[in-house]
Amino acid sequence: MVDVARAEHPGLRFEVGSMTALDLADESIAGALAFWSLIHVPDDAVPTVLSGFRRALRPGAPLLIGFHVGDGSRLKTQGYGGHPMKVYVHRRRPAR
């Protein structure tokens, strides 16, 4: 997806990294999008991820987060189109 983004928007910068260890300078980004990515982060790592976002975002910059609402975690072994995978999906309540 990053390759597609780079090809379609060559004037923008796209980086690949880990949400649990953002390699970005303080207040260096103008916004962040985390669509259905936090669903793969265990509960105990979510505060680290959100703290990293806050640190890297410029003051007043938007953060858009999307996630599955619910309770509990499950191991997903089949992706879209029947592709095999092994990834945990964590559902959470918005208040959390």
Side-chain angles (χ1 to χ4, degrees), residues 26-90:
D26 293 358
E27 299 182 1
S28 64
I29 58 175
L33 173 68
F35 264 13
W36 286 268
S37 50
L38 284 173
I39 66 169
H40 303 297
V41 175
D43 288 345
D44 63 341
V46 171
T48 298
V49 171
L50 295 178
S51 293
F53 288 163
R54 183 174 187 185
R55 179 192 58 75
L57 286 164
R58 294 178 189 154
L63 169 62
L64 183 56
I65 298 174
F67 58 94
H68 297 299
V69 174
D71 296 301
S73 302
R74 69 177 178 89
L75 177 63
K76 187 172 181 178
T77 58
Q78 187 174 20
Y80 298 110
H83 299 283
M85 62 189 314
K86 184 178 179 183
V87 65
Y88 283 92
V89 175
H90 306 281

Side-chain angles (χ1 to χ4, degrees), residues 6 8 13-15 18-19 30 39 58 64 71-72 74 76 88 93:
R6 287 177 178 150
E8 297 211 6
R13 186 180 105 205
F14 297 91
E15 300 287 337
S18 171
M19 289 188 299
I39 66 169
R58 294 178 189 154
L64 183 56
D71 296 301
R74 69 177 178 89
K76 187 172 181 178
Y88 283 92
R93 297 285 165 188

